Amino acid sequence: YLSECCYYVPGEMILFSDLVKDFHEWLPGNERDNWMMKTIGQALPQQFVKGRHPSTNQVMVGNLTKNKDAVPKVALVVRNDKLVPMEN
């Protein structure tokens, strides 16, 4: 799903619940029960980081977007459960 529908773009974020919803819609119906939120979160490749938005506190996946035209920024990392730009 990630390689077909999403893009690695440093600095971008997507709401984790939206990613799960889109992923479940993409999956064949008989496989959805095998992919609960916890499983999806644990299966994310290392470059996609899961944490809370610094201002809204919503659970997000950082460095991931569905917009192929998104402009890369500074990569996000998790610090104190929050997504923040990586320091040099």
Side-chain angles (χ1 to χ4, degrees), residues 8-14 46-54 60-64 73-79 82-87:
Y8 170 72
V9 180
E12 287 294 307
M13 291 186 222
I14 187 169
Q46 186 176 359
Q47 70 267 27
F48 304 124
V49 291
K50 188 175 138 216
R52 296 197 173 271
H53 191 283
M60 310 291 287
V61 178
N63 305 317
L64 178 75
K73 302 173 198 82
V74 176
L76 297 169
V77 295
V78 178
R79 195 167 293 119
K82 303 278 187 189
L83 290 175
V84 296
M86 183 186 303
E87 295 175 356

Side-chain angles (χ1 to χ4, degrees), residues 29-41:
N30 62 338
E31 292 186 32
R32 291 181 186 145
D33 288 343
N34 297 328
W35 290 95
M36 298 289 96
M37 288 183 95
K38 183 175 181 179
T39 307
I40 294 167

